[in-house]
Each structure stands twice: as structure tokens, then as C-alpha cells.
Amino acid sequence: MVAQAVNYWLTEHPTIVNFRWSPTQSYASTWSFLFTAVSSYVIAAVTLHLLLAILPIRSRRGLSLGPIPALHSLTMAFISAVIFVGILFSAAAEIRDTRWLWRRTRTTALQWFLCFPVGTRASGRVFFWSYAFYLSRFLHLFRTFFSVIRRRKLSFFQLINQSSLLCISFLWLEFSQSFQVVAILLTTVSYAVVYGYRFWTAIGLRGACFPFVVNCQAVLLGCLTVCHVGVLYIHLVKRGGCNGIGAWLFNSVLNAVISLLYLKFYVKTRSLTTAKPT
């Protein structure tokens, strides 16, 4: 009974099955909304940083936010876990329902995960959870404001990273882009672990003896890079190519920029860790 109920609410509910990405039916689904949201986020973060910079010297250590960051981390860990399970079950349901069609095009499940057939529309179970992932990106933006308020520090990498990931998740839906299923699976499981760890340490429990979050993010970027190579290979080999490959190329450029910035940050973090006396 429990398994059937979970399966219904995650894959067979009419809202999920009949989902369709459309400017008239989906909230936050227009280009104007995306541009307004990204610019508002950047302006608000920079403004907050400048306002805190002119506070008296005694407040230089930043302000306390109490339990808010811990509650945010717990919420994000839960949402990420739900999206992971939802899109995993929905992908299994889509594979079950369309396997007969794949035999004609000689498409395997692995190929479908990385490469949607040309002509795919942003509707149905998988795209419902992709939409949920897109909306959850707005909640991730609060991490920037937490950092500014608590540490009085605004990271250029954080601004670029959060803005780029919001745009990428929008493009996944707008162009029914290939690769998004595996990308969401990898990203949400990583977020569930990272935010769970942040909640763990925020409530005062002992953290890892190494930069846990940094290493998790490095593993995620490595896995996504391998999958990007897989998409390119399938697109070149498969007859007809992959759907939304133009958006995928744009996303690949953004991912490359994020990876380079993160690699620089990762090397810096590792060097500081090694430099500490034992």
C-alpha cells in the first residue's frame, strides 16, 4: 500500500502525468521572468553587501541568523531527495511506457537518459520534476544572502554559479534539452548529501576532518563532465542526433566556466588545508 501510494504521488498523479511547460500554464516560465529574476538576485546581493560594508566597525564580524541557515539546509536536503526519487521513478515509468517505440529507433535506456530523440516536447512526468528542480533553484539563492550577512563577504563565483545554474535549468525545459535527467539525478543526490551535512554541522554536531562540501561538489562536476562527453558522443553517432543540442552547447560553455572557477577555488582550498600545521 505504501509503495503504491508513493508511486502514485510521484509518477501517476494527473498533475505530473499531464504537465506541460508553457508560458501560459507554468509559473516563472518566460524569458522576461528569468532575466528579471537573475538581475534582481545580483542587484540585491551586491546592494546588501555594500550596505553591510558601511556599518560600524564593531559589526564587521557579520550578523547572526539563528536557526534560519540550519532550517534552510534541512528544507533543501528534503526537497532535493524528493526530486531525486520523483525523477528516478518517473524516468522508470517513461522507459516502461515508451520502450516499444525505442525498438524501432534502436534506442537503449542509457541513450535516452543522455539523449532525448529529436522532437521531444517538455511535457509529462520527467519534465514535471525538471520544473520542480528549476523552481528549487530559487531557494538555493538564499545561500548567497546568508553568506553576505554572516560573513560580510560576497563571492563573485557564487553569483556566477547560482545565476548560471538558474539559467541552465530554465533552458532544460525551454528546449527539452537532452542530458537533463541524468544531470538532475546527479545534482539532487549531491545536494541532498551536502545540505544534509550542512544541517548536521549547523546544529552543532561534529563535521568531517576534510573539506566535505568542496569534495562533493568536485565529484559532481567530474561526473557531469563525463556525462557531457557521453552526450556529445551519442549525438555524433546516433542517427538524427539529440534534441536541444543547441541549448546543450550553450550550457556546456556555462558549465566549463563554472568548472574552471571552481577548480581554482578547489585548488586554493586544498592548498590552505595542506598548509595547516598538523
Side-chain angles (χ1 to χ4, degrees):
M1 285 295 293
V2 176
Q4 291 179 349
V6 170
N7 184 68
Y8 172 78
W9 286 106
L10 293 181
T11 62
E12 303 301 334
H13 191 277
T15 303
I16 298 176
V17 175
N18 300 321
F19 171 78
R20 180 171 177 266
W21 170 259
S22 166
T24 57
Q25 299 180 23
S26 310
Y27 174 72
S29 60
T30 61
W31 286 95
S32 58
F33 183 92
L34 177 67
F35 292 144
T36 303
V38 172
S39 56
S40 299
Y41 160 68
V42 174
I43 292 171
V46 172
T47 302
L48 179 62
H49 174 71
L50 294 176
L51 287 175
L52 291 177
I54 62 176
L55 287 179
I57 297 177
R58 64 176 179 273
S59 302
R60 292 287 179 184
R61 293 183 179 178
L63 305 174
S64 172
L65 289 171
I68 295 177
L71 292 175
H72 177 264
S73 295
L74 181 62
T75 303
M76 293 310 305
F78 175 75
I79 291 175
S80 298
V82 170
I83 294 176
F84 172 80
V85 176
I87 197 168
L88 182 65
F89 283 15
S90 294
E94 291 294 333
I95 291 172
R96 178 198 65 211
D97 294 346
T98 57
R99 188 180 293 275
W100 62 273
L101 180 62
W102 294 356
R103 293 172 185 170
R104 298 181 181 179
T105 57
R106 297 180 181 179
T107 301
T108 64
L110 177 61
Q111 289 178 335
W112 178 81
F113 268 101
L114 293 174
C115 176
F116 288 151
V118 174
T120 300
R121 296 290 179 264
S123 60
R125 303 180 182 95
V126 165
F127 289 98
F128 170 85
W129 290 108
S130 180
Y131 179 58
F133 179 81
Y134 165 62
L135 293 180
S136 74
R137 291 299 330 167
F138 291 96
L139 297 178
H140 286 273
L141 302 182
F142 285 102
R143 288 287 308 176
T144 303
F145 300 102
F146 294 160
S147 299
V148 173
I149 294 173
R150 291 194 301 179
R151 303 171 189 171
R152 304 182 59 84
K153 181 180 179 182
L154 179 61
S155 167
F156 173 75
F157 168 74
Q158 197 169 29
L159 283 178
I160 295 297
N161 183 50
Q162 296 286 13
S163 301
S164 299
L165 291 175
L166 185 60
C167 294
I168 286 172
S169 56
F170 176 88
L171 292 176
W172 285 348
L173 289 157
E174 185 68 14
F175 295 99
S176 306
Q177 186 193 308
S178 299
F179 170 71
Q180 61 180 283
V181 174
V182 68
I184 294 174
L185 285 171
L186 291 172
T187 304
T188 49
V189 73
S190 172
Y191 284 165
V193 172
V194 166
Y195 277 103
Y197 174 79
R198 283 172 173 161
F199 172 74
W200 176 271
T201 55
I203 60 176
L205 298 175
R206 186 177 179 180
C209 57
F210 60 94
F212 181 84
V213 174
V214 173
N215 282 279
C216 284
Q217 292 172 336
V219 171
L220 173 62
L221 284 175
C223 293
L224 291 176
T225 301
V226 172
C227 293
H228 270 288
V229 174
V231 173
L232 180 60
Y233 173 77
I234 294 175
H235 175 72
L236 295 175
V237 171
K238 185 180 178 183
R239 186 176 180 182
C242 302
N243 198 68
I245 199 65
W248 174 84
L249 287 172
F250 179 74
N251 286 350
S252 298
V253 173
L254 287 179
N255 281 324
V257 172
I258 294 172
S259 299
L260 288 174
L261 290 172
Y262 191 80
L263 182 61
K264 181 181 177 182
F265 172 75
Y266 180 78
V267 171
K268 182 180 178 181
T269 304
R270 293 295 297 175
S271 61
L272 289 176
T273 306
T274 358
K276 286 182 180 179
T278 55

